[in-house]
Amino acid sequence: MNPHDRRAIERILAEEEVGSASLIPTLLAIQEQLGHLPPEALRLVRAHSDVSDARLAELLSFYPRFRTRPAGRHRVQVCTGTACYVQGAADTLAELRHQLGIAEGEDTDPRGMFTVEAVACLGCCMLAPVVRIDERTYGQLSAARVPEVLDDFQATVKRRATGATAKREGRRAESPASAELRLCVCTSCSSAGADALDAELRRLIRTLALPATVRNVGCTGLSTEAPVVDLVHRGRSVRYGRLTPQQAKSMLLAHLSPGSAGARATVLVSGMLERALSGEPATPPSARRLAEGSDPRDLDRPGQLRMSTRHAGQLDPLDLDAYIASGGFQALQRATDRSSASEIIELIARAGLRGRGGAGYDTATKWRNALAAPPGPRVVICNGDEGEPGAFMDRMILESFPFRVLEGMAIAAVTIGADEGHIYVRGEYRQAIERLRRAVALCAERGLIGGHPPDGAPRFEVRIFEGAGAFVCGEETAMLEAMEGRRGTPRIRPPYPTERGLRGLPTLVNNVETFALVPGIIAEGPQGFAALGTAASKGTKTFALAGRIARGGLVEVPMGITLRQVVEEIGGGNPRDRTLTAIQVGGPSGGCVPASMVDTPVDFEALQAAGAIMGSGGMIVLDDGDCVVDLARYYTAFARQESCGRCSACRIGTVRMLEILDDICEGRGREEQLQQLEDLGAHLASASRCGLGRTAPNSALSTLRHFRESYLAHIAGRCPAGRCKGLIRYRISERCIGCTRCAQRCPAQAIEGRPHHAHRIDEDACTRCDICRQACPAEAVEVS
Amino acid sequence: MSQIVFQLDGAQVTAQAGESILVVARREGVEIPTLCHHDDHSPAGACLVCLVLDRDSGRMLPSCATPPMEGQRIETTGPAVLAARRRSVELLLGDHAGDCEAPCSRVCPEGLDIPRAIQSIQAGAPVLSQPCLDCAAPCERACRRRLHDGPVAIRPLMLHGRPGEAEAELPRVRKGRFDSRIGALREGEIEAMLRGASPAPPMARGQEGRLDPHDATREARRCMRCDCREKDACRLRAAADDSAADPRRFGGPIRTPITRPDAGARLAYEPAKCIRCGLCVQLTATAEGPGLALLGRGLELAIGAPLDTTLAAILDPVAEACAALCPTGAITREDRRAPDTMDDRPPDPSDR
């Protein structure tokens, strides 16, 4: 280790006493510095703490984010979330490894340039398949596009090295303006080019002296249209989708006129010049108007109702004044000044709020239990460990509405008498973590949360705890173990965290969305919330809509509307003229609701009866081109990989279930295996130690229940959707024009492609990676 | 609330705060089988053999680790409970790569416990087994060492003693017990099983006539010890017997590979027999010096030595206690002599 790194590590270790609670953050900080955790670094950690060797080794082997092998200079993260999987992420991953020359069993290329990792959901499902290279996110990265994207990335690196990149405009005071451009810069929009657009808009406003300001706002949830810009001018709002920097100028000039004569002249001259030089009309393809209206709410897709995501697309996520001006922190004020703990809990109870993290436990009961614990310190934890592939509600809420979540936590803290708060966030959610840190600091400056409240009220300190991977840590007791610096093995309940939680203290754990709903209920009373939904499921619920859907993204809808309404009215139905077969709700713990049951309402119990669960709200739409058996295999593989291994049911049971599903998908299935699958599923569901294990069989059980005929077809040697690689073959039809593109791109060199002759696929060599089909300009590659 | 009243098989019982359902049940005289539970250690809730039914939620709870709740209705017996426990045992057996009895003993018409007899030969005791005189020695055809270099010369070993000097009753296999079987070995596993056995090549043909004591000890050390050292006291085997488990029900191609890592001279460690209860980890955590760690997760979860330490260094000081604590044959006392004499050299290439 070089002296510079060594000093950096010593600084990290000196910052805070390294004990159990700070072990994971400390190791992450060191890894951030070095790229990995070499033995010398671990020795330093041991020398600075009383942490045992066994504890360190256990952590390193449990949390996937830790790496003890050196990493390449650039980090390539391939999202393996559900939406990405369905759109071919496995092929993208294989092609990336192939292009970079990474050997079997390795994750880094021989020159140490790139480390390629498969990661859990990056939360950009509408851009699937998604790959992140360092800080750049690439969407729609099919296997065929891999070489192009690698070239693009290397070109960016080169530009950066020569210092040619334009620096992003800093935020600065802008002249009073009559128009406001509201631009979402959430992770999805950034991946879709929002940062470049932001810079271009600011540049244009400056050079053309336009009477406008740019404001970065919370996410509208319209990821399919990213980047999204709302132009608010003279009482009207116009929403533009997929706006490119090239379109920015004409869009602006359609609404605004340049502020000075000089600027007007510039516009005129440059317009003429452009015309003269390119021979094309000055106006580039015009920007897409999605919606307009007199109220910003008119811009939303009909059918939506915003509570946890209120003011989406209107407020700057980190503008505390704007949050307060829109009514923020009134609920906390009310809870602090005028209400007793039991009154607040009564409001929550009358609203009928249930936990949005998955199981739908009654929130008021949980708060009551935390309040009823013996006197002494208490803890409030916000569970933002959204590990469910295909879900990004929590990411979006944390990125866009950090103050609302903090206010909800602060209300809980006032209610149960807690002065310690934590937000546990997935490490993959970089932007959420940064914004939360900033939001906490801003609240502390004002004495709203933490800091020094003017009236000397008890301080409620909130800290951000960054996760180190492991889906199971979304289970609240496993999360507590992680926060205490141990392996994320779920504890057996009882005792429940409200009785004995973090460090043995009574602890209230609620999900991000649950906390985000609390301020509205307290400020406006519970009636409005309780008036929405069904008998037992009240209020609204956010869903991450992805898969085969025209307008995916993040939506918030009132409980009680049907899945059909969500998918068809809000989501716009199928984008490729295929038939809907199922809606997967709830991710790996959930299940598939078949097309015949799409009128099932959004309701905890109704979804469960249909074989799915509400979960945290992932919703993947499948059509007849998607294989439900393969999807069950995907989720079972996820559960097998994420099993902590502590109890026999989940450790061995998930492996056996996966083996059976592998057999079925690869053409080795036997009918009696279906019975075995059901037996195993029943055992896991009733006997596993934690929620992960108990819900792990759901994807297999629900598809077995609703799509048995598809299982039987696989066993008979046929995948009805044409997706299972062991059961399909690729061939080239007479439409082949002999262009050799497929042969050049085939990573397995399985295509004999003589120019101007019909090409042929060698079936034995073919790996069914689908690249030839994507590369063919004549649609001559057929799958049967 | 220091006392909890709940129903155990229909009877009202009282638990003290902090007690598990298992503890209360045992006090009430209700027997619940366990594998990973030990009174001196905190409950692991790992094996799920102690499942009981919570009638209200319909869920099966690990009684060792679950405290009862007020008014809860718990059932410790009945078809559903027994079936769930059997499934737990069957799942454990599905990832248990180990033989209870050795292949040689299984085929012995006399039911002799051949590995045990060979143990005593290793220790220098002469053996003369009259029934072997007229036997075609199917044991040698079954001997797993055949897969490597050639079977142990079992019949000559069993006949090498002189009349009068080897009178002792020979050990026999207890018939009718559950008998786990490894099945076909995977790549590299035969080499793993050779650990601790003499690498010496098979005896030359014609040399087997009557072995002198020296040659007998030497040949005996070639035994790979396929049977389980814990076969009489193994709690997994007992649970399999009690629940009439079918070991193939949840068997599958993926399982923990057979390895025999070095755990010091006093212990044998066979991870493929481990049920991941973590009792050994708890034991070494309280002992002096570095402790064991639970490494990895999922099926790959295993005990191991952290960072710069070795299993041997950690386990040696607590060898006796650890072997006694392990509920299966994963960690047992090594009862073979280390193959360290000149006789046990690997085959010299120049001999060929």
Side-chain angles (χ1 to χ4, degrees):
Chain A
M1 200 188 315
N2 65 46
H4 172 260
D5 285 342
R6 196 189 168 87
R7 272 197 304 279
I9 292 174
E10 280 166 350
R11 257 199 312 281
I12 292 166
L13 291 169
E15 244 169 55
E16 145 167 62
E17 197 181 325
V18 183
S20 291
S22 60
L23 197 49
I24 290 177
T26 304
L27 291 171
L28 285 177
I30 295 172
Q31 181 166 297
E32 185 77 29
Q33 177 72 29
L34 304 180
H36 73 295
L37 291 166
E40 305 97 284
L42 296 174
R43 272 183 219 119
L44 279 174
V45 173
R46 268 147 54 200
H48 277 77
S49 66
D50 57 358
V51 171
S52 70
D53 286 8
R55 175 71 68 83
L56 265 179
E58 291 192 339
L59 289 185
L60 297 181
S61 73
F62 187 86
Y63 294 101
R65 241 179 108 191
F66 293 129
R67 59 179 296 138
T68 48
R69 283 191 292 172
R73 190 175 303 168
H74 303 292
R75 192 158 166 232
V76 184
Q77 295 176 292
V78 182
C79 176
T80 52
T82 320
C84 292
Y85 176 75
V86 170
Q87 312 257 20
D91 295 330
T92 302
L93 175 64
E95 181 65 1
L96 270 166
R97 294 178 56 94
H98 172 71
Q99 290 285 338
L100 294 171
I102 295 173
E104 183 95 26
E106 297 288 328
D107 63 358
T108 304
D109 69 287
R111 294 189 307 145
M113 291 301 288
F114 290 94
T115 294
V116 177
E117 309 162 299
V119 295
C121 194
L122 291 171
C124 307
C125 306
M126 274 323 294
L127 304 170
V130 174
V131 172
R132 186 184 285 167
I133 309 182
D134 292 343
E135 298 301 311
R136 275 180 85 88
T137 310
Y138 293 92
Q140 273 125 25
L141 213 179
S142 58
R145 278 190 60 217
V146 164
E148 164 202 332
V149 162
L150 286 175
D151 287 348
D152 173 86
F153 177 78
Q154 264 147 348
T156 319
V157 170
K158 220 170 270 168
R159 271 204 305 280
R160 212 173 280 164
T162 56
T165 21
K167 256 200 184 146
R168 195 177 147 184
E169 287 282 308
R171 219 175 280 191
R172 56 193 186 87
E174 278 155 56
S175 56
S178 60
E180 187 170 280
L181 289 152
R182 296 174 176 171
L183 171 67
C184 172
V185 285
C186 76
T187 304
S188 292
C189 286
S190 293
S191 331
D195 294 336
L197 179 61
D198 187 46
E200 177 66 2
L201 288 171
R202 289 176 198 272
R203 190 188 70 81
L204 287 167
I205 290 170
R206 199 179 56 243
T207 55
L208 300 178
L210 294 173
T213 50
V214 178
R215 184 203 282 266
N216 293 145
V217 295
C219 187
T220 56
L222 270 173
S223 334
T224 27
E225 296 293 343
V228 177
V229 174
D230 292 351
L231 188 139
V232 187
H233 184 46
R234 296 198 183 122
R236 284 195 68 75
S237 303
V238 184
R239 173 163 292 174
Y240 290 93
R242 296 187 211 167
L243 192 69
T244 62
Q246 292 75 34
Q247 295 168 335
K249 191 156 125 192
S250 65
M251 185 276 278
L252 286 172
L253 292 175
H255 295 271
L256 309 165
S257 19
S260 68
R264 274 192 294 274
T266 314
V267 172
L268 205 66
V269 171
S270 70
M272 288 192 316
L273 268 178
E274 273 168 30
R275 240 180 319 224
L277 289 176
S278 64
E280 280 170 27
T283 39
S286 60
R288 273 161 46 88
R289 282 189 186 213
L290 297 176
E292 53 193 291
S294 53
D295 187 301
R297 270 173 297 188
D298 295 345
L299 303 181
D300 256 340
R301 292 178 268 194
Q304 288 216 62
L305 187 72
R306 295 189 179 278
M307 288 188 155
S308 61
T309 65
R310 187 174 299 183
H311 303 307
Q314 296 170 46
L315 300 186
D316 183 333
L318 289 175
D319 187 339
L320 183 52
D321 291 316
Y323 180 68
I324 292 172
S326 69
F329 284 108
Q330 281 174 12
L332 176 61
Q333 194 71 42
R334 184 181 157 165
T336 318
D337 296 348
R338 286 183 298 179
S339 307
S340 69
S342 57
E343 280 165 355
I344 299 170
I345 294 176
E346 184 57 24
L347 291 178
I348 304 278
R350 273 170 43 211
L353 179 61
R354 295 170 67 176
R356 284 345 191 209
Y361 191 78
D362 184 60
T363 305
T365 307
K366 209 182 226 185
W367 288 31
R368 230 172 253 136
N369 292 343
L371 183 66
R378 286 158 164 68
V379 184
V380 170
I381 295 177
C382 173
N383 182 346
D385 188 45
E386 181 173 58
E388 178 181 322
F392 48 94
M393 290 76 49
D394 292 353
R395 170 180 73 70
M396 190 270 220
I397 292 175
L398 291 172
E399 281 177 1
S400 295
F401 314 102
F403 295 123
R404 189 168 296 142
V405 176
L406 286 170
E407 187 182 358
M409 289 177 71
I411 292 168
V414 166
T415 308
I416 67 163
D419 54 14
E420 178 181 348
H422 300 273
I423 307 180
Y424 188 106
V425 193
R426 282 185 68 197
E428 285 86 349
Y429 290 176
R430 305 309 313 165
Q431 198 180 59
I433 291 168
E434 278 156 34
R435 287 200 187 158
L436 280 170
R437 292 214 164 108
R438 188 83 199 105
V440 167
L442 288 168
C443 289
E445 279 171 23
R446 302 276 181 98
L448 288 161
I449 290 171
H452 302 279
D455 54 355
R459 299 196 313 182
F460 174 56
E461 296 280 357
V462 177
R463 305 186 71 173
I464 314 299
F465 191 98
E466 204 180 301
F471 174 70
V472 69
C473 289
E475 201 278 345
E476 58 182 12
T477 59
M479 172 176 294
L480 297 173
E481 290 287 301
M483 294 177 73
E484 291 178 17
R486 282 192 292 271
R487 296 164 56 87
T489 304
R491 301 175 183 172
I492 286 176
R493 303 177 302 179
Y496 289 90
T498 46
E499 194 186 326
R500 207 177 315 148
L502 191 66
R503 305 189 310 274
L505 302 175
T507 302
L508 174 71
V509 186
N510 274 142
N511 157 270
V512 169
E513 192 179 338
T514 314
F515 278 128
L517 287 167
V518 167
I521 291 170
I522 304 299
E524 287 149 36
Q527 301 80 8
F529 193 91
L532 298 170
T534 59
S537 303
K538 303 292 189 190
T540 59
K541 177 76 194 84
T542 56
F543 286 99
L545 265 182
R548 310 297 177 185
I549 189 154
R551 296 192 300 268
L554 196 122
V555 299
E556 183 170 4
V557 298
M559 292 270 195
I561 74 168
T562 64
L563 296 181
R564 184 197 298 279
Q565 284 173 290
V566 176
V567 169
E568 290 179 3
E569 291 171 19
I570 300 177
N574 194 283
R576 54 173 193 177
D577 262 349
R578 276 181 175 265
T579 316
L580 173 98
T581 48
I583 305 173
Q584 209 288 344
V585 192
S589 308
C592 282
V593 179
S596 60
M597 295 172 77
V598 292
D599 287 317
T600 302
V602 173
D603 172 281
F604 286 103
E605 281 71 29
L607 283 171
Q608 201 154 11
I613 61 162
M614 183 83 80
S616 56
M619 205 182 266
I620 313 269
V621 182
L622 306 172
D623 65 27
D624 55 8
D626 298 309
C627 177
V628 286
V629 183
D630 184 52
L631 192 70
R633 167 165 81 155
Y634 165 78
Y635 281 124
T636 307
F638 180 83
R640 180 253 189 268
Q641 190 184 328
E642 294 298 331
S643 167
C644 80
R646 202 66 181 100
C647 78
S648 60
C650 181
R651 181 180 71 243
I652 307 167
T654 52
V655 172
R656 295 294 169 249
M657 291 186 75
L658 180 58
E659 280 170 356
I660 295 172
L661 289 164
D662 277 343
D663 281 351
I664 293 173
C665 288
E666 285 160 23
R668 299 184 301 266
R670 301 182 315 273
E671 204 171 330
E672 65 267 23
Q673 286 181 308
L674 299 185
Q675 180 61 47
Q676 212 178 6
L677 208 50
E678 280 168 348
D679 278 2
L680 276 164
H683 183 70
L684 263 70
S686 87
S688 294
R689 188 183 154 118
C690 77
L692 170 63
R694 283 196 295 274
T695 56
N698 278 0
S699 54
L701 292 178
S702 81
T703 47
L704 257 177
R705 175 177 148 197
H706 297 303
F707 299 95
R708 202 176 182 91
E709 72 289 347
S710 185
Y711 278 85
L712 293 171
H714 281 79
I715 289 168
R718 192 175 63 83
C719 171
R723 290 285 299 229
C724 289
K725 292 187 175 176
L727 298 173
I728 55 172
R729 40 181 70 164
Y730 281 76
R731 55 178 290 277
I732 297 174
S733 74
E734 60 279 7
R735 294 166 74 164
C736 175
I737 53 172
C739 72
T740 75
R741 259 181 243 189
C742 57
Q744 289 171 35
R745 296 301 317 280
C746 177
Q749 287 161 359
I751 303 180
E752 184 197 331
R754 268 203 300 154
H756 314 301
H757 287 74
H759 303 334
R760 209 182 55 78
I761 296 176
D762 174 359
E763 270 188 29
D764 295 330
C766 173
T767 59
R768 291 146 180 95
C769 69
D770 205 48
I771 288 178
C772 54
R773 197 185 58 76
Q774 294 168 33
C776 179
E779 292 185 19
V781 180
E782 290 178 347
V783 182
S784 59
Chain B
M1 200 165 49
S2 59
Q3 289 198 331
I4 298 119
V5 178
F6 70 105
Q7 279 189 28
L8 191 72
D9 296 327
Q12 292 266 328
V13 293
T14 306
Q16 306 302 317
E19 281 183 337
S20 65
I21 295 172
L22 178 75
V23 166
V24 180
R26 287 197 171 157
R27 187 168 59 230
E28 299 291 328
V30 174
E31 198 41 53
I32 297 175
T34 61
L35 289 187
C36 69
H37 175 79
H38 193 283
D39 288 338
D40 298 343
H41 295 279
S42 44
C47 71
L48 305 183
V49 169
C50 67
L51 291 175
V52 294
L53 174 66
D54 172 12
R55 282 204 47 191
D56 301 301
S57 69
R59 272 184 45 204
M60 295 289 168
L61 308 174
S63 59
C64 68
T66 315
M69 290 199 289
E70 191 69 33
Q72 203 171 21
R73 294 181 300 163
I74 296 294
E75 283 179 10
T76 70
T77 185
V81 172
L82 297 182
R85 288 179 189 162
R86 189 177 64 237
R87 289 211 165 88
S88 292
V89 175
E90 286 168 340
L91 276 169
L92 289 170
L93 293 172
D95 185 40
H96 176 85
D99 288 326
C100 293
E101 302 295 348
C104 52
S105 295
R106 280 191 198 122
V107 297
C108 175
E110 283 293 311
L112 294 175
D113 189 337
I114 295 166
R116 281 218 175 122
I118 290 180
Q119 286 310 110
S120 49
I121 299 170
Q122 279 185 14
V127 166
L128 180 58
S129 169
Q130 292 300 338
C132 299
L133 267 172
D134 301 318
C135 183
C139 51
E140 292 184 11
R141 279 196 299 280
C143 175
R144 194 170 270 133
R145 180 128 189 185
R146 174 183 289 274
L147 297 172
H148 178 64
D149 53 1
V152 175
I154 300 173
R155 189 164 170 274
L157 279 175
M158 299 298 276
L159 293 169
H160 84 279
R162 286 167 203 289
E165 66 173 22
E167 293 300 322
E169 179 82 3
L170 284 171
R172 274 166 209 278
V173 167
R174 277 179 57 199
K175 290 282 174 195
R177 286 209 67 186
F178 171 82
D179 189 6
S180 167
R181 285 157 198 254
I182 295 177
L185 292 185
R186 311 279 162 85
E187 203 187 321
E189 289 185 337
I190 185 73
E191 289 77 12
M193 293 192 75
L194 277 163
R195 172 183 274 280
S198 158
M203 279 188 293
R205 286 215 161 269
Q207 201 188 323
E208 310 106 339
R210 166 150 304 178
L211 297 174
D212 65 33
H214 177 263
D215 285 345
T217 346
R218 188 188 142 184
E219 180 64 13
R221 269 194 234 117
R222 291 185 64 243
C223 171
M224 301 194 300
R225 199 68 207 264
C226 298
D227 69 325
C228 183
R229 293 174 182 80
E230 198 67 16
K231 59 188 170 190
D232 294 329
C234 173
R235 292 166 71 180
L236 179 58
R237 190 180 195 188
D241 273 333
D242 292 346
S243 62
D246 173 1
R248 274 164 315 202
R249 184 189 177 101
F250 295 135
I254 296 173
R255 60 158 169 79
T256 303
I258 297 172
T259 54
R260 292 186 171 179
D262 180 14
R266 302 162 68 193
L267 291 179
Y269 171 39
E270 299 179 61
K273 298 178 180 175
C274 173
I275 60 165
R276 281 78 158 179
C277 65
L279 284 172
C280 54
V281 176
Q282 288 196 49
L283 176 78
T284 57
T286 50
E288 291 276 307
L292 291 174
L294 275 171
L295 301 178
R297 53 183 196 178
L299 193 76
E300 290 73 29
L301 177 71
I303 61 162
L307 311 177
D308 302 333
T309 54
T310 63
L311 279 175
I314 298 171
L315 285 172
D316 206 53
V318 292
E320 288 287 321
C322 195
L325 195 58
C326 179
T328 70
I331 296 181
T332 49
R333 283 168 53 187
E334 177 58 275
D335 48 12
R336 294 181 290 190
R337 273 181 45 199
D340 53 359
T341 63
M342 291 296 283
D343 291 337
D344 294 322
R345 281 172 305 175
D348 186 341
S350 60
D351 288 356
R352 295 195 179 161

